[in-house]
Amino acid sequence: MIQNIESASLVVVQTQIENYWVFLNIDSSRLTYTGIVKIAVIGSDGKFFLNSVDLSIHSVKINGSGVNYKTVQDQQSIIPEGIKPGDFYAEIEFSGTIPHLLTGLYLAKSRNGNIFTTQFESTGARRMFPCVDHPNFKATFDISVEADENMDVISNMPVFSENRNAGRKITTFGRTPKMSTYLLYLGIGKFDTRSIKRKNMEIILAAPEGLLTKSQFPLEIASGVLDLFEGYFSIDYVLPKVHLISVPEFSAGAMENWGAITFREIYLSIDDSTSSSSFKSTGEVIAHELAHQWFGNLVTMEWWNDLWLNESFATFMSYRILSVMKPEWDTLGDMILLRTDAALKNDALRNSHPIDAEVKNPDDIAQIFDEISYGKGASILRMVEGYVGKENFRKGISNYLQKYQYGNAKGSYLWNSIQEASGLPVSRIMSEWIRKKGYPVLTARFQDGEVVISQNQFLLGGGRTDEMWSIPLTVKRTSGTESVLMDGRDTQIKLDGFIKLNDSFSGFYRTNYDDTLFAVLIGQLDRMTNLDLWGIANDLYSFLQSGTYDLKTYFDRLKPLWKSTDPLVIMEISGQLSSLYLLNPDSSLISRVIPEFCVPHLARLGDKVPGEPINVSIARSSLSYTLSLVDRDHATALASRFSDYFSLDPDIRGQVANAFARLKSDFQALREKFMECSTDEDRTKIISAMAWIPNEADLSGAMDMIRDGTIKRQDTWRFYSSCASSPTSRDFLFNHFDIMVRQLREIFVGTRTPARVIELTAPIIGLGRESEMKQMLQTYTTQDLQIGIKKSIELLGINSRLSKLLK
């Protein structure tokens, strides 16, 4: 039977959907459509319903005969009457509008024209057509679309036929494999395309007319990644094509629709304005979405509580596979800098959640698309790979995909598969790590000739709990890496040959050493990888945040790492110093320390030279931005180059625009430059810079650009988050906070974005007015904001304490 899928995470599936036949007739001038969906149902027990949101239902037929139905609004469902046990066909005639939202079938605007596009994860398919919108109800899809003759139509499968008549065109697509509703895609409009052949398939780059750049980079990345994934999984990509589609307005960064992957423009519009960091981001995002073609599409989670498995696996595999394809990028360094770090910060809050979170309704689903599902999950997978070995991990993954292809599976099935391949107790270990929120900090001390290790839960706000974990320890020794499973509160290991715990920061835990062991560690920095050095620095900052260390201890332990010339370590320390400055811009200590760190490194790096390592370019940009916060001469030199913005190296454009905004306060010049931008990357840099103008009237002018659509709806959050970073814009944002929240909730319907932006802004703009900020936050009572509000209040307390230390 089909239970109420909106209130139960476990569904006992007897009824199956075999096929959807969907026909849509698009009226592009009125932004409306009519449709028919025919659904082949197998094994019904007499209970059947379909999800439907904001659709007008005109008729419902069962086996060709009209039947009555009732609407259940709180379950977003319609329930036909008179269903008998057995197989049947349902046919529903319906109509809908095409709104300017960012979910369902929606209107996406660009300067060159508009397109209609879809975003269905997690529950958007029900906004386009009536369906059983649940990941466990996989079916094949036959899609046909009637639209204006001059419009192109893209879907998951290649076009099967096109029929033209009287200025209209019906496009019919081949039947899809069995898949979940959230993976269906439709794009309707005028597209430019370019493609390459790979084996027996086609990779197609698509963008709205006039917006397709000349770069082959996305196609080359996709082709190379597909080759590597096919070898890793021992399963070929199963569809005859894959589209990489640039969408001008998009709530997500990208979406893995099977065979028709959608991206924000910034990831596919590669040209002379593309920065070094954006090249790497493009590679990572393409690899991430292609990993989903196996992990998520070919094998899909049974219910959304295992969403983390889809996202964490794609996250980990994207960095892992690019480390083979582009070793010079140091993508595992990117993973810990961008993903592991964010996960460690968020999971050290009392208001975090387990990886395997309870999901009861659509609102809950959106709230778990966060740093825990992506970053912590990916980091745990890296820890498991380190524990069982790379080849055992690969075999376990491949066996899992082979066994459950075209079906659904639970996370436990994967752990069992890796356990069978390795012979190690993976299931027991993973059960703890995915069902408990938080993670441990290990306290390591020298005692009686041994290293004594104790574990406790690490909390940024301080305090202790009774939680413990089974921890796959990796001990870095002069003789190599030793693996130890720590099962209790305490353990001991020998000191001989000891260098450090958590080799290359492969484990999801922190380590606090006593003075004796820290001296041993610092004396052997030359034996460490850049991931080791990053982990030491990152742990030190977390201990400062939590109150474990005072400022003196933090800087005393951090400064031996300052000499590292590795870009990853430089970016980590530069980021820490800029964060400290933004917590207290009046701190004379931080204003003195930043040049001490940044100036020597910038002098050593010098100006950018052709062909230099990509991470050197990114590290230079980070240093330049951090120094510009406290060094007026450096900021003035940057600002003076703004008139030549489009001829500048893309890696410094953001810093130049930011310095210009702060020092020149010329909103009109920024606005004019924004209007000249041809790429989203340059536009977002100008948007972020506008938030730093120290003038309330000009900040209001930027908000007008949001209201009138000059700034894309998808980029609204960038302006507000940058306002929080700018010390001179925080009062403005505090006074306009309610407007921000209402705008974000209108634009990003059914997503976590509003709650996420609250987390990014409130803990900063609330500094110095903590009570007022807390009171304001508590006035918001809607369920979709509650996680963000609770985390914001907790983070505000942590930031407030640290800010006061910096005075």
Side-chain angles (χ1 to χ4, degrees):
M1 63 179 288
I2 302 179
Q3 298 180 8
N4 177 357
I5 63 174
E6 307 303 352
S7 62
S9 60
L10 178 63
V11 178
V12 179
V13 181
Q14 293 178 356
T15 300
Q16 297 179 39
I17 309 298
E18 183 178 44
N19 174 260
Y20 291 93
W21 180 90
V22 182
F23 174 79
L24 299 183
N25 189 337
I26 306 294
D27 188 332
S28 58
S29 62
R30 291 186 171 88
L31 299 180
T32 61
Y33 64 94
T34 59
I36 301 171
V37 57
K38 299 178 181 180
I39 308 170
V41 181
I42 298 176
S44 170
D45 61 355
K47 298 178 181 179
F48 180 71
F49 69 91
L50 296 167
N51 295 117
S52 174
V53 174
D54 294 337
L55 298 174
S56 297
I57 306 300
H58 302 301
S59 69
V60 177
K61 294 179 181 179
I62 301 297
N63 292 331
S65 299
V67 298
N68 294 324
Y69 65 91
K70 64 180 180 180
T71 300
V72 185
Q73 294 287 356
D74 61 348
Q75 295 181 19
Q76 301 181 345
S77 301
I78 61 171
I79 303 176
E81 297 179 355
I83 301 292
K84 296 179 180 180
D87 303 345
F88 64 87
Y89 280 91
E91 180 178 328
I92 300 95
E93 294 187 12
F94 60 97
S95 60
T97 61
I98 306 175
H100 190 201
L101 294 175
L102 299 175
T103 185
L105 173 63
Y106 68 92
L107 171 68
K109 296 182 178 181
S110 77
R111 297 183 183 186
N112 291 43
N114 304 328
I115 65 169
F116 306 135
T117 187
T118 59
Q119 170 59 22
F120 288 163
E121 190 175 32
S122 50
T123 57
R126 65 189 69 181
R127 293 177 176 271
M128 190 183 85
F129 69 106
C131 58
V132 181
D133 201 7
H134 185 298
N136 207 15
F137 286 81
K138 286 189 165 185
T140 58
F141 292 82
D142 295 304
I143 305 295
S144 294
V145 176
E146 179 176 336
D148 296 335
E149 188 175 22
N150 64 349
M151 286 185 164
D152 305 306
V153 187
I154 300 172
S155 190
N156 306 78
M157 296 295 287
V159 172
F160 178 77
S161 66
E162 290 183 337
N163 295 300
R164 291 173 169 82
N165 183 39
R168 301 285 286 174
K169 179 176 65 176
I170 298 177
T171 305
T172 300
F173 296 91
R175 176 170 288 185
T176 71
K178 284 184 65 177
M179 66 184 198
S180 303
T181 49
Y182 79 90
L183 296 171
L184 189 64
Y185 178 74
L186 271 182
I188 305 166
K190 297 179 181 180
F191 292 92
D192 290 334
T193 62
R194 185 169 61 254
S195 67
I196 60 173
K197 292 289 186 180
R198 177 196 164 271
K199 296 184 178 180
N200 60 346
M201 65 168 294
E202 189 175 16
I203 306 174
I204 307 163
L205 188 62
E209 188 176 47
L211 297 178
L212 185 66
T213 59
K214 296 179 180 179
S215 175
Q216 291 287 98
F217 181 75
L219 294 172
E220 292 167 356
I221 287 287
S223 180
V225 165
L226 284 168
D227 286 344
L228 291 168
F229 277 149
E230 287 184 344
Y232 188 91
F233 299 133
S234 300
I235 300 174
D236 287 345
Y237 177 78
V238 298
L239 298 191
K241 63 91 176 175
V242 61
H243 269 88
L244 311 178
I245 307 160
S246 179
V247 177
E249 290 189 293
F250 194 23
S251 62
M255 176 61 205
E256 65 266 22
N257 316 297
W258 208 350
I261 305 171
T262 45
F263 299 82
R264 283 198 179 186
E265 282 185 4
I266 196 170
Y267 294 118
L268 298 183
S269 297
I270 305 297
D271 62 12
D272 293 340
S273 296
T274 302
S275 65
S276 297
S277 58
S278 289
F279 268 108
K280 294 179 71 177
S281 295
T282 292
E284 186 277 318
V285 173
I286 290 173
H288 180 108
E289 303 309 324
L290 288 174
H292 275 308
Q293 306 304 294
W294 285 267
F295 217 99
N297 298 7
L298 186 64
V299 179
T300 310
M301 71 254 158
E302 286 192 355
W303 178 242
W304 294 105
N305 64 300
D306 273 330
L307 164 76
W308 77 273
L309 194 58
N310 278 12
E311 296 303 341
S312 61
F313 186 85
T315 299
F316 174 62
M317 284 306 303
S318 64
Y319 292 109
R320 168 60 73 203
I321 218 71
L322 285 175
S323 71
V324 177
M325 185 177 178
K326 295 282 188 180
E328 70 277 12
W329 282 9
D330 185 25
T331 54
L332 289 181
D334 291 338
M335 177 179 157
I336 66 169
L337 182 69
L338 302 173
R339 297 293 194 175
T340 302
D341 175 62
L344 288 166
K345 288 176 180 175
N346 278 269
D347 207 31
L349 300 176
R350 292 185 181 274
N351 286 292
S352 182
H353 65 81
I355 290 177
D356 188 355
E358 184 179 19
V359 176
K360 292 183 177 180
N361 58 59
D363 290 336
D364 292 337
I365 299 170
Q367 299 312 308
I368 61 172
F369 281 85
D370 63 1
E371 298 84 357
I372 304 302
S373 293
Y374 287 77
K376 182 179 181 180
S379 302
I380 298 301
L381 289 173
R382 180 170 175 252
M383 182 169 70
V384 170
E385 183 195 54
Y387 175 58
V388 304
K390 291 182 180 179
E391 181 57 20
N392 286 332
F393 184 81
R394 189 202 67 77
K395 286 181 180 177
I397 296 295
S398 179
N399 293 341
Y400 166 86
L401 291 173
Q402 294 275 3
K403 185 174 183 178
Y404 297 105
Q405 58 185 319
Y406 300 108
N408 298 82
K410 298 178 181 179
S412 58
Y413 302 169
L414 176 60
W415 315 137
N416 291 338
S417 184
I418 298 174
Q419 181 167 296
E420 289 173 5
S422 66
L424 294 170
V426 174
S427 295
R428 176 172 66 84
I429 295 170
M430 287 306 300
S431 178
E432 287 189 22
W433 283 91
I434 69 173
R435 291 175 183 168
K436 292 180 183 178
K437 67 180 180 180
Y439 60 88
V441 55
L442 304 184
T443 301
R445 66 188 188 277
F446 175 71
Q447 181 178 314
D448 299 330
E450 291 187 314
V451 178
V452 179
I453 306 168
S454 303
Q455 66 159 300
N456 289 285
Q457 184 175 0
F458 179 71
L459 295 166
L460 277 177
R464 285 181 175 267
T465 70
D466 294 329
E467 288 289 3
M468 287 195 302
W469 287 260
S470 294
I471 308 172
L473 295 181
T474 51
V475 185
K476 195 179 196 78
R477 296 189 180 277
T478 55
S479 58
T481 301
E482 175 188 1
S483 294
V484 178
L485 185 61
M486 181 177 178
D487 260 333
R489 180 72 65 188
D490 305 284
T491 193
Q492 298 87 33
I493 60 175
K494 64 180 182 178
L495 180 63
D496 293 344
F498 178 81
I499 298 176
K500 69 183 291 287
L501 297 174
N502 206 359
D503 185 19
S504 292
F505 211 86
S506 58
F508 197 75
Y509 53 87
R510 299 198 179 279
T511 310
N512 186 15
Y513 301 91
D514 69 5
D515 290 340
T516 300
L517 293 179
F518 194 79
V520 171
L521 177 151
I522 290 300
Q524 302 182 84
L525 294 180
D526 60 341
R527 294 177 178 268
M528 298 184 193
T529 67
N530 65 337
L531 303 182
D532 285 316
L533 300 179
W534 178 89
I536 295 168
N538 191 266
D539 282 349
L540 294 176
Y541 187 68
S542 73
F543 297 145
L544 175 65
Q545 288 180 295
S546 65
T548 306
Y549 288 176
D550 57 21
L551 277 170
K552 183 179 184 305
T553 304
Y554 165 70
F555 280 117
D556 285 348
R557 291 196 167 195
L558 182 67
K559 284 189 175 180
L561 303 176
W562 282 24
K563 296 179 182 178
S564 173
T565 59
D566 185 84
L568 177 67
V569 182
I570 290 171
M571 286 186 281
E572 171 62 24
I573 297 174
S574 175
Q576 290 182 18
L577 296 179
S578 64
S579 295
L580 291 173
Y581 169 82
L582 295 175
L583 285 177
N584 192 335
D586 298 323
S587 171
S588 59
L589 170 64
I590 301 305
S591 294
R592 184 178 71 253
V593 168
I594 284 177
E596 289 177 6
F597 175 73
C598 294
V599 170
H601 280 295
L602 284 170
R604 177 181 55 80
L605 292 174
D607 293 333
K608 185 175 182 178
V609 296
E612 74 178 12
I614 193 169
N615 290 335
V616 169
S617 302
I618 298 171
R620 182 188 293 106
S621 298
S622 175
L623 289 165
S624 179
Y625 167 74
T626 300
L627 182 61
S628 74
L629 295 173
V630 300
D631 187 325
R632 189 172 182 85
D633 290 341
H634 184 69
T636 300
L638 289 171
S640 68
R641 306 181 70 180
F642 184 71
S643 60
D644 299 322
Y645 182 88
F646 293 112
S647 63
L648 297 176
D649 184 276
D651 289 337
I652 67 166
R653 291 182 188 180
Q655 298 94 272
V656 167
N658 182 283
F660 179 83
R662 285 186 282 131
L663 272 59
K664 302 300 182 181
S665 191
D666 189 341
F667 174 73
Q668 189 58 35
L670 284 163
R671 193 182 195 284
E672 290 173 1
K673 200 69 70 177
F674 176 87
M675 299 306 293
E676 293 177 43
C677 291
S678 61
T679 67
D680 269 7
E681 180 170 358
D682 277 328
R683 280 189 281 269
T684 56
K685 289 173 181 175
I686 302 295
I687 293 168
S688 296
M690 285 177 173
W692 284 75
I693 296 178
N695 183 299
E696 189 162 314
D698 291 334
L699 294 172
S700 294
M703 286 189 69
D704 289 339
M705 293 174 66
I706 292 172
R707 292 189 188 96
D708 66 20
T710 304
I711 291 176
K712 289 183 180 181
R713 293 158 68 84
Q714 68 179 28
D715 295 324
T716 301
W717 71 272
R718 290 185 182 273
F719 173 73
Y720 292 125
S721 63
S722 295
C723 280
S725 296
S726 170
T728 59
S729 302
R730 292 173 186 172
D731 288 346
F732 174 85
L733 184 56
F734 181 82
N735 294 329
H736 291 79
F737 194 81
D738 189 60
I739 294 174
M740 177 194 80
V741 173
R742 284 190 283 109
Q743 280 184 342
L744 293 171
R745 293 191 73 228
E746 290 171 3
I747 295 168
F748 297 97
V749 176
T751 75
R752 188 177 176 271
T753 299
R756 176 60 179 147
V757 177
I758 289 173
E759 289 175 37
L760 290 172
T761 56
I764 303 295
I765 67 173
L767 291 171
R769 47 181 163 230
E770 287 81 1
S771 295
E772 296 93 326
M773 189 77 252
K774 183 176 179 181
Q775 289 174 6
M776 182 187 295
L777 290 171
Q778 290 173 336
T779 64
Y780 298 103
T781 58
T782 55
Q783 185 61 34
D784 61 310
L785 300 180
Q786 292 313 299
I787 292 177
I789 288 168
K790 291 175 182 177
K791 291 171 76 172
S792 294
I793 292 172
E794 187 176 356
L795 285 167
L796 178 58
I798 294 164
N799 287 345
S800 180
R801 180 180 61 202
L802 183 51
S803 175
K804 292 171 183 175
L805 281 179
L806 297 169
K807 290 184 177 179

